[in-house]
Amino acid sequence: MNTSFFIALIAYLLVFMTVGVLDRKKVRSFTDYAAAGKTQNTFTVVMTLLATILGASTTIGITDTVYRIGFPGFWWLSFGAVGLVLQACFLSVRVRRMNADTLPDLAEKTVGRSAELLIAVIIVVSWIGVVAGQLVAMNSLISFALGRQSALLFAMVSLVVIGYTAAGGQLSVIKTDRLQLCIIIASVIACALYLYFGRGGNSGDVMQGIELVNGSYRPFNLVNQFFVIGGVYFLGPDILSRNFISRDGTTARRSAFFAGLAVLLFSLLITAIGMWLRCNVSPEEKGRTAALLYAASLLPKGLAVLLLFGLLSAVLSSTDTCIINAASIFAKDILKTERVGVVRAAVLCIGLLAFTLAQLGRGDILTLLTGAYSIYTPGVIFPLTVAILAHERQGVRTRLWLCAVAAGGLFGLAASYCPGLLASAGLSPALVQQFPLIGMGLSLILALCSVRQGSVNRQGSVNRQAADGGQENGHSREAR
């Protein structure tokens, strides 16, 4: 597999480098670079949205979860599908109408500058850790395929991803997402078909093992994942970045809805692979190898290479999106500049910093940075949703709204970083486990209390909508 994988990898990277170089000449403005001109159709948005979602956690991570706890691992990604459908029903058109370029920009339009800066800092800091984690997963895949560690190849792949993202921005990310998604889907389908119909084994045991909850996954886990996982898909930075590139609200709504249906089907497919492995591979056989990587060792050579490239595509399609979104937010929402050169420099800095952290293997740093996202889910999801829904009518009181974000975020932060301290204070582990949900509930209550009464802000909202509509028309003319 080593030679075949290496040759295919070089060809794969050359394609991406070419895309970045060609797209560099098409970028004329911040909107072109960060939001692909806001002219993308439904098919393109669905493709890039799925490629963004189907990363390491939704392939390797879910297969491991299903292998460990059984069929209930299906709920993780299925709640993401529910979040997308709910976004299509309640938010997609409203969000696109505001003509924002980034999620913090959306917060600025609905709440104010302080909200924009707070959310921007949370996302940028945490996304450095997210990108580093993706690069670590990529290095593991390369090492598994080659049968050894290769620092040179790891550096080469990382730099190519950072390079084509810096060169072409969202235009390049969208184009490479199409190719990556095709490889992901083809490889996972081929793996499932071979395991069930080529390899055989105890496939009949899979049906007997289907259960919605069990001893390892209780009803509380259902409620927790519905809000925590579903919330990220409902109003997460990378998910909404695909709303911003849509050509209009109808496109954004359709894209979220169809992507939700596709994610649900993919969840069934990846769960089926995990269930086959659970019924046919003992923990002693699998050892410490990730379940989906162990599946690659059971496939014929050609299919094994395809699956490894599918997993690599899953990692990279999420990595480039995280990098471009974090860089765009850093430039527009923290530095308050829309100069393309500054965003490109931010892409390089964020990418190289994440690469350095991944190389150092400093798990404590990665955990610290990635864990900052625990503030976002309980602290931002409900308050920002309330702000969006209230924007066209009453609006919100900024200080109370910020208190909602802080209260929810502190509960999430405490659950992630201070479980020992909370236990020493006499709180049970079961209660601490519920802190993110408690934080989400508290942030929702405070956010609802922050909504202004009456219609004092209505005229201002109408004026802002008119301005936003004019800006959107301006972008459309520029794109044409």
Side-chain angles (χ1 to χ4, degrees):
M1 186 189 299
N2 295 7
T3 304
S4 302
F5 178 83
F6 182 78
I7 294 173
L9 180 61
I10 297 301
Y12 185 81
L13 296 178
L14 285 174
V15 171
F16 289 175
M17 291 172 63
T18 302
V19 169
V21 171
L22 293 178
D23 284 339
R24 191 180 190 282
K25 301 177 182 178
K26 301 177 183 178
V27 176
R28 296 187 176 89
S29 67
F30 178 85
T31 300
D32 289 339
Y33 189 83
K38 300 191 175 185
T39 59
Q40 306 306 310
N41 60 30
T42 300
F43 179 77
T44 299
V45 177
V46 170
M47 292 281 282
T48 187
L49 183 52
L50 289 175
T52 298
I53 292 169
L54 304 183
S57 63
T58 52
T59 51
I60 299 173
I62 287 182
T63 310
D64 279 341
T65 300
V66 173
Y67 182 85
R68 187 178 69 255
I69 70 172
F71 188 82
F74 159 80
W75 290 115
W76 199 99
L77 193 52
S78 65
F79 284 140
V82 172
L84 286 170
V85 172
L86 290 176
Q87 184 201 120
C89 294
F90 298 106
L91 284 189
S92 295
V93 174
R94 288 184 172 90
V95 168
R96 184 61 187 86
R97 188 188 299 149
M98 294 178 195
N99 201 36
D101 292 316
T102 64
L103 190 139
D105 186 31
L106 181 66
E108 193 276 335
K109 291 177 182 294
T110 55
V111 181
R113 170 59 179 163
S114 54
E116 175 189 31
L117 186 59
L118 174 62
I119 294 177
V121 171
I122 291 172
I123 294 173
V124 171
V125 171
S126 60
W127 249 228
I128 294 173
V130 170
V131 173
Q134 295 282 0
L135 293 179
V136 169
M138 180 192 74
N139 191 30
S140 298
L141 283 171
I142 293 174
S143 300
F144 179 84
L146 296 179
R148 58 182 176 82
Q149 291 277 348
S150 175
L152 178 60
L153 193 58
F154 171 53
M156 182 175 69
V157 177
S158 299
L159 294 178
V160 167
V161 174
I162 296 168
Y164 80 71
T165 304
Q170 286 284 14
L171 291 172
S172 294
V173 170
I174 288 171
K175 290 179 181 177
T176 55
D177 276 353
R178 294 174 187 170
L179 172 62
Q180 289 164 334
L181 180 64
C182 291
I183 297 174
I184 294 167
I185 299 297
S187 65
V188 173
I189 290 176
C191 177
L193 290 175
Y194 179 80
L195 292 179
Y196 277 89
F197 300 104
R199 188 84 180 187
N202 299 321
S203 300
D205 293 345
V206 171
M207 295 301 297
Q208 298 178 6
I210 294 178
E211 49 189 0
L212 301 183
V213 293
N214 57 28
S216 300
Y217 191 91
R218 302 181 184 278
F220 166 76
N221 299 108
L222 275 174
V223 176
N224 184 61
Q225 287 196 343
F226 174 80
F227 286 104
V228 175
I229 303 302
V232 173
Y233 285 78
F234 180 67
L235 197 63
D238 293 330
I239 302 299
L240 276 197
S241 71
R242 274 45 207 146
N243 179 293
F244 303 144
I245 70 174
S246 304
R247 63 186 175 192
D248 53 38
T250 301
T251 300
R253 183 182 61 220
R254 289 174 179 170
S255 300
F257 180 79
F258 289 130
L261 297 182
V263 166
L264 185 61
L265 293 175
F266 186 85
S267 182
L268 287 169
L269 182 63
I270 202 71
T271 300
I273 293 176
M275 288 296 290
W276 188 95
L277 292 167
R278 179 180 172 87
C279 294
N280 291 276
V281 178
S282 68
E284 292 75 22
E285 290 176 292
K286 188 180 79 70
R288 300 181 63 181
T289 305
L292 201 50
L293 292 182
Y294 186 86
S297 67
L298 302 177
L299 303 178
K301 182 177 180 179
L303 289 182
V305 172
L306 176 62
L307 179 59
L308 289 173
F309 267 92
L311 298 179
L312 183 63
S313 297
V315 172
L316 297 187
S317 62
S318 298
T319 302
D320 54 17
T321 301
C322 289
I323 294 175
I324 186 65
N325 288 342
S328 300
I329 289 170
F330 181 76
K332 180 178 178 64
D333 302 302
I334 294 179
L335 299 183
K336 298 302 289 183
T337 178
E338 295 189 1
R339 292 172 56 189
V340 175
V342 174
V343 190
R344 282 198 172 105
V347 168
L348 294 174
C349 291
I350 289 172
L352 292 175
L353 178 56
F355 170 71
T356 302
L357 291 173
Q359 270 196 320
L360 292 174
R362 293 291 300 277
D364 53 331
I365 295 178
L366 294 182
T367 300
L368 178 64
L369 293 173
T370 306
Y373 194 65
S374 63
I375 304 172
Y376 180 87
T377 302
V380 177
I381 297 295
F382 279 144
L384 190 54
T385 299
V386 169
I388 293 169
L389 296 178
H391 173 65
E392 295 179 358
R393 296 185 179 183
Q394 299 95 337
V396 297
R397 298 181 180 86
T398 302
R399 291 183 180 178
L400 187 54
W401 187 92
L402 292 173
C403 287
V405 175
L410 285 173
F411 270 88
L413 193 65
S416 295
Y417 294 116
C418 309
L421 181 62
L422 295 174
S424 64
L427 298 180
S428 68
L431 178 61
V432 174
Q433 188 181 11
Q434 297 180 36
F435 264 36
L437 281 182
I438 295 173
M440 291 188 80
L442 182 58
S443 68
L444 174 60
I445 293 171
L446 291 174
L448 290 173
C449 292
S450 75
V451 176
R452 296 180 183 276
Q453 301 300 315
S455 57
V456 295
N457 211 34
R458 185 174 181 82
Q459 185 61 44
S461 297
V462 171
N463 292 337
R464 283 195 298 273
Q465 291 175 43
D468 292 343
Q471 184 180 2
E472 182 171 359
N473 291 336
H475 283 308
S476 300
R477 288 193 297 270
E478 182 180 337
R480 287 196 293 269

